[in-house]
Amino acid sequence: MAHWANPSSPHAEGRAARAALESARAAIAAAHRWSGELLLTSGATEALSIALNRAIVTSRLVRAVEHDAVLRVCAETEVLPVGRDGLLTGESVSTFLDTNETRHRNSPPFVPSEVEGHSRALFCMQWANSETGVRQPVAAVADAVHAAGHLLLVDAAQMPAVSTDIAEHADFVALSAHKHGGPPGIGALLVRDLATLAPTGGQERGYRPGTENLPGALGWAAALAEPEPVECWATLRARLDDAILRSGGEIVAKNSPRHPAIASYRMPGVAAAAQLIRFDLAGIAVSAGSACSSGSLKPSHVLAALGYSDEAGREVIRISFGRDTSEADVERAIAAWRDVARATRRFAA
């Protein structure tokens, strides 16, 4: 912040700022093993919006469990349902793409009229669901999407930087700095081929106008230089899973591959709103549904897509870990969970 200057200015300070920005950009790309273009944005929401609205495609296809940031843009888009496990398979994606092939061909493009003649769709999916933590088989889905001649957008806001599957398989990737200990207000859209994205002019190679956020980029690069404790998260999450099952709780999508730091748990008979209050009083921050929309405490569209009733879905809370989450924190969460469950049983009796 102390040495900030506009990276687009031609004077010496601006040129130094540009060099620092490009160094940070390269570090962020390298941390994600990305060799294509990296366009800095204000976060994953803007990155998703750019890809969904300006990819040179004839239609967009999404899953029913995508983040609200995707579903708001794709309100009238074909939606692929999921089962109770929340997982896609290459076969289900292929079938879905085949079923909608006529619509792809006849739908108007979602890009300026001067960019036409491309009969392909943009398929969007999360690397890991932001509520349940369910991870998708990126390689299998990418194979199905590319075999049909379409493009794949991966919402990787939740993905640890140590993962490499997006670098090998995705055409577009949305990232967010604050998910990795970086500052809020900056993210990126990774683009494999800029020819598949309609430009608008301005900064970021003409694809995102506005003064570049140099302090944010530097902070993000610095955060990515510090390894994330993925193995520690897996150990802590396993301990939490076991304790909640033993205490009569339910793990959402228990048998699916899940992000080691994200999970949703149902406490039968206890509303999530009541759980949030009790956890908060114990000094433990949890949420109901997506953290981006939990303030409304509305029923989760993700849980509904997985087959949960409104009543059951309102009994689910989301717990996630940060870089500094400790074993003691998890033990306190387990104790709080058991206290709430015991109090509910006493009240019911």
Side-chain angles (χ1 to χ4, degrees):
M1 298 290 274
H3 300 287
W4 182 85
N6 189 336
S8 293
S9 295
H11 48 60
E13 289 188 359
R15 295 195 303 274
R18 169 60 60 182
L21 180 70
E22 295 309 318
S23 177
R25 188 195 308 274
I28 295 165
H32 294 90
R33 282 73 166 175
W34 189 257
S35 59
E37 299 287 342
L38 187 151
L39 308 178
L40 293 170
T41 67
S42 63
T45 294
E46 185 190 7
L48 290 165
S49 179
I50 291 173
L52 290 166
N53 285 305
R54 286 163 41 202
I56 301 173
V57 295
T58 52
S59 63
R60 302 169 297 199
L61 303 171
V62 302
R63 301 177 309 139
V65 292
E66 292 306 308
H67 193 279
D68 281 338
V70 170
L71 298 181
R72 281 195 298 268
V73 174
C74 303
E76 299 182 7
T77 296
E78 294 295 328
V79 175
L80 173 60
V82 297
R84 190 77 170 189
D85 60 5
L87 284 171
L88 289 177
T89 64
E91 292 78 7
S92 67
V93 172
S94 293
T95 300
F96 183 62
L97 294 172
D98 289 344
T99 301
N100 289 278
E101 182 63 32
T102 301
R103 290 192 180 96
H104 300 166
R105 190 178 302 113
N106 296 333
S107 298
F110 292 95
V111 295
S113 58
E114 65 267 18
V115 185
E116 297 178 348
H118 297 268
S119 181
R120 62 187 173 196
L122 179 67
F123 187 85
C124 177
M125 71 170 194
Q126 286 180 312
W127 184 89
N129 187 266
S130 55
E131 294 184 33
T132 65
V134 172
R135 289 178 48 189
Q136 298 301 325
V138 175
V141 172
D143 286 346
V145 170
H146 292 150
H150 305 312
L151 300 176
L152 177 65
L153 165 61
V154 177
D155 173 1
Q158 307 293 342
M159 183 192 73
V162 295
S163 178
T164 61
D165 49 1
I166 60 162
E168 299 175 11
H169 302 290
D171 299 292
F172 301 96
V173 182
L175 300 172
S176 180
H178 74 270
K179 297 293 184 181
H180 305 285
I186 187 165
L189 176 65
L190 308 184
V191 184
R192 187 168 301 282
D193 181 0
L194 285 178
T196 61
L197 191 69
T200 59
Q203 288 84 345
E204 291 301 300
R205 291 139 168 86
Y207 288 85
R208 197 258 181 178
T211 302
E212 298 96 334
N213 183 355
L214 174 59
L218 294 174
W220 189 5
L224 290 172
E226 298 294 326
E228 292 177 293
V230 176
E231 293 184 3
C232 178
W233 286 338
T235 300
L236 294 177
R237 220 275 314 282
R239 167 68 179 128
L240 184 60
D241 283 357
D242 180 68
I244 285 179
L245 286 176
R246 290 175 179 272
S247 302
E250 175 186 341
I251 303 171
V252 176
K254 176 172 69 74
N255 296 321
S256 299
R258 290 179 291 145
H259 191 298
I262 302 173
S264 284
Y265 302 101
R266 180 185 172 211
M267 186 183 294
V270 185
Q275 295 181 57
L276 296 187
I277 293 171
R278 295 293 294 270
F279 274 99
D280 189 49
L281 290 173
I284 301 167
V286 301
S287 65
S290 171
C292 301
S293 60
S294 59
S296 65
L297 294 180
K298 63 183 179 181
S300 164
H301 71 277
V302 172
L303 297 176
L306 266 59
Y308 282 81
S309 65
D310 278 356
E311 180 181 2
R314 291 181 186 274
E315 298 170 344
V316 175
I317 63 170
R318 173 184 181 267
I319 295 179
S320 58
F321 304 148
R323 286 177 179 265
D324 58 352
T325 302
S326 66
E327 185 176 350
D329 293 327
V330 171
E331 292 302 322
R332 286 197 304 118
I334 292 169
W337 174 282
R338 289 171 173 164
D339 286 346
V340 175
R342 279 195 295 265
T344 303
R345 284 195 289 268
R346 286 197 301 268
F347 179 79

